[in-house]
Amino acid sequence: MFTIEHEFDATVITLVDEGSAPLGEDVTIHAFEECVTVEQLDPRTDRVQKVTLSMRQLQDLRAAMNLPEGVYRLRPARR
């Protein structure tokens, strides 16, 4: 399950793990104009861990999700 909320400066997506136990903590994604942050509570430390991705890193991640193992570099689209 997931939720999507549009706030003033970001779109916030929350991913909720609904599988069988053990379940993972919710993942919250904040999509800003210049970057994307991914947050998840670490139950061992009771602290939220945060990762910030640039828009370029997000593009690379999106491409990598559909590619086989290897090393790649995205090229800018030709116009």
Side-chain angles (χ1 to χ4, degrees), residues 18-35:
E18 290 189 301
S20 57
L23 298 177
E25 296 291 333
D26 293 356
V27 174
T28 304
I29 303 162
H30 292 83
F32 299 96
E33 186 174 332
E34 68 283 351
C35 68

Side-chain angles (χ1 to χ4, degrees), residues 1-47:
M1 179 180 102
F2 62 92
T3 65
I4 302 172
E5 300 172 60
H6 298 291
E7 296 183 353
F8 172 72
D9 62 344
T11 296
V12 180
I13 300 167
T14 302
L15 307 175
V16 179
D17 192 2
E18 290 189 301
S20 57
L23 298 177
E25 296 291 333
D26 293 356
V27 174
T28 304
I29 303 162
H30 292 83
F32 299 96
E33 186 174 332
E34 68 283 351
C35 68
V36 172
T37 63
V38 180
E39 298 177 347
Q40 186 177 40
L41 176 69
D42 182 346
R44 296 170 295 164
T45 62
D46 202 34
R47 297 180 72 183

Side-chain angles (χ1 to χ4, degrees), residues 40-76:
Q40 186 177 40
L41 176 69
D42 182 346
R44 296 170 295 164
T45 62
D46 202 34
R47 297 180 72 183
V48 173
Q49 300 297 319
K50 181 177 183 177
V51 174
T52 302
L53 302 170
S54 70
M55 297 314 281
R56 180 58 188 240
Q57 288 173 314
L58 188 61
Q59 289 173 338
D60 289 349
L61 176 60
R62 184 176 62 226
M65 296 299 289
N66 296 313
L67 293 170
E69 185 175 333
V71 177
Y72 300 89
R73 177 176 288 132
L74 292 180
R75 294 184 183 167

